[in-house]
Amino acid sequence: MSIEALKSAIPDFAKDVRLNLSSMASDESLTDQQKYGLFVACGIASRNAAVRDALIAEAAPKLSPAALTAAKSAAAIMGMNNVYYRFVHLAANKDYQSMPAKLRMNVIGNPGVDKIDFELWSLAVSAINGCGLCIDSHEEVLRKGDVSTATIQTAVRFAAIIASAAIALEAAESDAGAKAAAA
């Protein structure tokens, strides 16, 4: 499945999602590696197989094997870190903030691609997963790396669009299941 097939699978009640997917695909404000890495990392973070597969299929030919692996790594490591650091941030017991995480995170220090691109992907996945502490941490690294506010906003906009595509497809599947059950 490609991004075009994904767009055609989005139901009419989510026409805005289709339009946003189109604008995302034609965006030229990011480098190709940043853009297609966002497709991969956010597609995986969406936890929707159709979205994940379509975005990886679209991105894989446009990324080096190292960048494809790094984008997948960003989704995986943020899956772990976002749960842990969201807990640390939200827990009433503030003792957790001074405790070592004891989580292996070597890929963050050596992602195999430009550190800024990896941080951008990590920020977008953190936005999908709702970890404010991670969002702040990655945004700070990006700002210190002279990444513009507009670029950061674009990455998070991509995350929002990809997450909404997954929700639209799940809603359509729910509608189809309800119609089948009623028949």
Side-chain angles (χ1 to χ4, degrees):
M1 179 186 267
S2 68
I3 199 165
E4 286 303 317
L6 177 61
K7 288 186 327 192
S8 68
I10 301 289
D12 286 340
F13 67 76
K15 179 174 70 173
D16 289 329
V17 175
R18 266 197 315 260
L19 295 171
N20 285 322
L21 281 168
S22 293
S23 71
M24 187 178 76
S26 63
D27 184 278
E28 295 180 359
S29 68
L30 303 170
T31 68
D32 280 352
Q33 180 166 287
Q34 289 170 339
K35 177 165 114 174
Y36 292 110
L38 283 166
F39 281 19
V40 172
C42 294
I44 293 167
S46 78
R47 294 178 180 83
N48 180 288
V51 171
R52 178 198 66 219
D53 294 348
L55 294 176
I56 289 175
E58 187 77 21
K62 297 169 179 90
L63 290 171
S64 69
L68 181 60
T69 297
K72 291 176 180 179
S73 295
I77 199 72
M78 288 306 108
M80 176 182 71
N81 285 359
N82 295 158
V83 170
Y84 181 80
Y85 287 106
R86 188 172 55 234
F87 163 77
V88 168
H89 177 73
L90 294 174
N93 183 346
K94 298 306 173 194
D95 290 345
Y96 300 111
Q97 293 177 1
S98 62
M99 298 172 76
K102 296 184 182 178
L103 298 172
R104 290 185 56 95
M105 301 178 238
N106 293 335
V107 72
I108 294 173
N110 188 18
V113 294
D114 183 82
K115 176 84 169 142
I116 292 298
D117 292 353
F118 190 83
E119 289 289 331
L120 199 63
W121 305 335
S122 296
L123 170 73
V125 171
S126 296
I128 289 172
N129 292 335
C131 181
L133 203 57
C134 292
I135 289 169
D136 288 344
S137 175
H138 295 293
E139 197 260 351
E140 181 181 344
V141 171
L142 290 165
R143 298 296 290 152
K144 285 181 181 175
D146 293 325
V147 176
S148 71
T149 303
T151 297
I152 293 168
Q153 186 265 350
T154 297
V156 176
R157 182 171 50 85
F158 276 32
I161 294 166
I162 292 167
S164 70
I167 292 167
L169 289 178
E170 289 172 11
E173 290 169 7
S174 174
D175 287 350
K179 286 178 186 176

